[in-house]
Amino acid sequence: MVKTLKEISELIDGELLGDGEIEIIGVSGIKEAREHELTFVANSKYLREIERTQASAIIVGQDIPYDGKPLIRVDNPYFAFVKVLELFAWRKRKTTYGIHETAIIGDNVQIGEMVSIQAYTYIGDNVQIGDGTIISPFVYIGDDTKIGNETLIYPNVTIREDVEIGNRVILHCGVVIGSDGFGFASVSDRHHKIPQIGTVIIEDDVEIGANTTVDRATMTNGATIIKRGTKLDNLIQIAHNVVIGEDCCIAAQTGIAGSAELKDRVTMAGHSGAVGHITIGADSTVFAKSAATKDLPAGSYVSGFPAENHAQQLRIQASLRRMPEMLQAFTRLQERVTQLEAQLNTTDDKSDDS
């Protein structure tokens, strides 16, 4: 795909400085970019690269002076570059619409317009698939599942029965939606499986990374819910009956235990976790390798295990780093106290003799 610089500047609502007829065929980082590619500068440490880059044009902030290199000035260079990336990414993806001859389609399946169902996909009975949805090869979709419009499902995704998926959802390779929750009743040293017969609801504009699993709720009327706009990284475990609010961001290797609730805009950093049946308030952050073990009020910043106030944890970590020197100082104090005690004892003995 080829776009002129003028067309791109109009797309991102930017101020064009330089030749608008330059043809752009791709996008790249400022160090890697070549002729007829577009790049961006959003971090001041890359300003020196503006003179050295081979890119034909650069997306920059409002404070960058024009020195002859074609520029597009915008308020947010990073977000503008994301919009250009989306433009080129969708044009590069080759999609054949229709149903591949090897796909297995169940009874009473409703398929919208401009849908792509690719090779070796299995779709169960009573499934609904919205307009513009793309289902890649080797996807399994269970009975009575509903999938919205313009959703993208990558290869080897498994969507179990009775699941609801909204519009513009992205499910990456290996995602499993609606697997059984980890529920067992222990009697006489044996574990008896508790049937998991609830559902999963994934709202609009959610993205779920590769090999992430979202368990179904336990009860008939229960649901594990991931709300609008939330983004999940690769390798995340979401247990049964969890509710994740809108616009949350959860990084890789995070685990959320059963019936926990994350309010809107919660951030869970890599390798963090939350125990079951707690609530993490809106706009909170749980830092990397930390575990939330109790309810957290809105706006919390916590770290450590168990997770506590992040500022307090930083003070604790700073103290721990000084521990060897503190122990040495304590040892010296002990030795000095021992010497002083010995001197006092000697003085007392002489007093007694006199």
Side-chain angles (χ1 to χ4, degrees):
M1 181 185 67
V2 178
K3 287 286 184 181
T4 66
L5 198 58
K6 181 180 178 182
E7 290 173 324
I8 292 175
S9 70
E10 292 172 351
L11 170 71
I12 60 177
D13 195 24
E15 177 191 3
L16 175 61
L17 302 173
D19 183 3
E21 298 306 313
I22 293 175
E23 293 184 338
I24 301 298
I25 62 173
V27 292
S28 190
I30 194 165
K31 293 183 179 180
E32 300 80 18
R34 296 292 180 262
E35 187 177 2
H36 293 294
E37 289 185 331
L38 181 67
T39 189
F40 78 109
V41 173
N43 190 316
S44 59
K45 73 178 183 179
Y46 291 108
L47 290 176
R48 66 177 70 93
E49 299 293 338
I50 290 178
E51 296 180 359
R52 296 195 283 257
T53 185
Q54 299 299 307
S56 291
I58 310 172
I59 298 172
V60 297
Q62 298 289 0
D63 57 341
I64 303 301
Y66 176 59
D67 64 355
K69 168 76 78 172
L71 303 176
I72 302 176
R73 283 187 185 146
V74 294
D75 292 331
N76 188 329
Y78 185 68
F79 183 63
F81 190 69
V82 168
K83 293 173 70 175
V84 178
L85 276 173
E86 290 174 345
L87 173 68
F88 281 90
W90 280 102
R91 295 303 185 273
K92 286 182 67 176
R93 187 177 293 124
K94 296 180 180 179
T95 301
T96 300
Y97 295 99
I99 302 174
H100 193 275
E101 61 183 7
T102 62
I104 299 174
I105 310 296
D107 296 331
N108 195 34
V109 174
Q110 300 177 35
I111 300 174
E113 298 180 356
M114 298 295 290
V115 170
S116 176
I117 300 176
Q118 299 175 11
Y120 300 104
T121 291
Y122 175 90
I123 298 177
D125 298 340
N126 306 311
V127 170
Q128 299 177 27
I129 300 172
D131 297 344
T133 287
I134 298 172
I135 301 174
S136 302
F138 299 103
V139 170
Y140 173 93
I141 301 174
D143 296 348
D144 302 300
T145 287
K146 299 177 182 178
I147 299 174
N149 302 327
E150 299 178 13
T151 286
L152 174 58
I153 303 175
Y154 281 103
N156 297 308
V157 169
T158 297
I159 303 171
R160 287 267 305 269
E161 68 280 357
D162 294 305
V163 166
E164 295 184 22
I165 296 175
N167 303 315
R168 300 175 301 280
V169 172
I170 300 175
L171 304 178
H172 288 274
C173 299
V175 165
V176 178
I177 306 295
S179 52
D180 282 3
F182 192 67
F184 298 89
S186 298
V187 179
S188 302
D189 297 326
R190 298 195 65 181
H191 305 299
H192 301 268
K193 183 176 178 63
I194 299 172
Q196 306 290 299
I197 55 177
T199 187
V200 175
I201 299 173
I202 297 175
E203 295 185 355
D204 297 346
D205 300 303
V206 169
E207 182 164 354
I208 301 180
N211 293 322
T212 287
T213 58
V214 182
D215 292 348
R216 69 193 316 111
T218 303
M219 303 297 183
T220 302
N221 296 322
T224 302
I225 303 174
I226 301 177
K227 294 186 179 180
R228 181 200 59 77
T230 283
K231 313 300 182 186
L232 274 60
D233 198 356
N234 305 329
L235 300 169
I236 291 172
Q237 159 66 10
I238 306 298
H240 56 194
N241 297 94
V242 166
V243 177
I244 298 178
E246 296 183 358
D247 296 307
C248 293
C249 189
I250 303 179
Q253 298 185 352
T254 292
I256 311 295
S259 298
E261 181 177 3
L262 279 60
K263 298 295 187 179
D264 297 345
R265 299 174 301 281
V266 169
T267 297
M268 302 282 293
H271 211 187
S272 64
V275 302
H277 302 274
I278 67 169
T279 299
I280 299 178
D283 301 297
S284 294
T285 297
V286 179
F287 285 82
K289 293 184 178 296
S290 303
T293 59
K294 60 185 179 182
D295 290 347
L296 298 176
S300 296
Y301 288 83
V302 297
S303 60
F305 183 84
E308 299 290 349
N309 178 272
H310 183 56
Q312 176 67 13
Q313 285 292 336
L314 290 176
R315 289 192 288 271
I316 292 171
Q317 292 300 320
S319 298
L320 288 174
R321 286 192 289 270
R322 294 195 300 270
M323 188 63 71
E325 292 80 6
M326 293 170 65
L327 286 173
Q328 290 177 359
F330 182 73
T331 300
R332 289 194 295 270
L333 285 172
Q334 281 186 313
E335 293 172 351
R336 181 59 178 159
V337 168
T338 301
Q339 293 172 0
L340 291 171
E341 287 177 340
Q343 292 175 5
L344 287 171
N345 289 334
T346 302
T347 302
D348 290 341
D349 292 341
K350 289 181 179 180
S351 298
D352 292 341
D353 292 341
S354 63

